[in-house]
Amino acid sequence: MTTAILSALPEEQAGLLAALEQPQRVAHAGRAFWRGALGGKDVVLALSGIGKVAAATTATAAIERFGAARIVFTGVAGGVGDGVHVGDVVVARDYLQHDMDASPLFARWELPGYARTLVACDAHLSALLLEAANDCVTSAAGQFGTQCAAHGVHHGLVASGDRFIAAAAEAMHLRSALRNAGHDVLAVEMEGAAVAQVCLDYGLPFAAVRTISDRADDDAHGDFTLFVRTVASRYTAQIVQALVQKL
Ligand code: ADE
């Protein structure tokens, strides 16, 4: 069974590529897909691209062309929930698209044609990912210096949209609007909900892990850049390698 591991950024993918056994690069749909194994388990690695459409194309290609039977997404995210700090890890329980708004035809954030707002991640795969993240955070405590030390692992709702949120006022507005509708969002990013929807369409398990690179506030851009350069690669690779051992 092939597991697709999609990363948003090359820095995140680098550690996985370095660990890939029998790597084989295949160009498809304007992307590089890497077939191989991690810990003896068949995988295909790819960069999702940035944004929902790019991620949906990558996920679809991974399924249709490379036979992926489940998809794990790794990346970084902006923390918006209380107590979600830079360096923490969020394992998604479910996803919504915060920029989906077909009102008044459908309720705000509802996915037209799906009769739902939230797309759930696979419970079993997410539980394994949560275990892997907890293992890594415990063993890595203190390893990344004070600014980026990973300390917390969270499990809950993540919101995706085609916007890099880099203003405290916008993050607060989004968070409180969602909360008023009963959706307590932990983090924002730009791809996961699209991949979750593709997996829903194909009936395949999906799970996602996001390391918090910034707080989606006025400092987000600087924090994000520093974090991706210094931490994302090592962290992603550790969590994914811990996960594949459990598959
Ligand atoms: N990914 C990481 N940080 C983000 C942010 N602040 N907004 C959207 N996507 C992100």
Side-chain angles (χ1 to χ4, degrees), residues 76-78 163-166 188-190 210 213-214 216 220 224:
V76 295
R163 281 182 70 74
F164 184 83
I165 298 182
V188 291
E189 39 87 315
M190 301 178 67
R210 293 277 184 170
S213 56
D214 59 80
F224 171 86

Side-chain angles (χ1 to χ4, degrees), residues 20 24 44 82 124 166 188:
L20 192 66
Q24 186 199 351
V44 58
D82 285 334
H124 177 63
V188 291

Side-chain angles (χ1 to χ4, degrees), residues 108-195:
R108 185 158 179 213
W109 300 301
E110 183 175 326
L111 273 183
Y114 290 74
R116 72 184 79 193
T117 297
L118 304 183
V119 176
C121 298
D122 182 74
H124 177 63
L125 194 55
S126 300
L128 297 181
L129 195 52
L130 204 49
E131 272 179 35
N134 273 311
D135 293 351
C136 289
V137 165
T138 309
S139 73
Q143 197 178 317
F144 299 124
T146 46
Q147 186 182 6
C148 292
H151 26 73
V153 178
H154 311 266
H155 187 43
L157 176 65
V158 180
S160 308
D162 287 327
R163 281 182 70 74
F164 184 83
I165 298 182
E170 183 179 350
M172 264 159 56
H173 182 260
L174 177 61
R175 184 187 154 189
S176 60
L178 285 168
R179 182 181 276 174
N180 290 341
H183 305 303
D184 213 354
V185 64
L186 294 179
V188 291
E189 39 87 315
M190 301 178 67
E191 298 84 18
V195 181

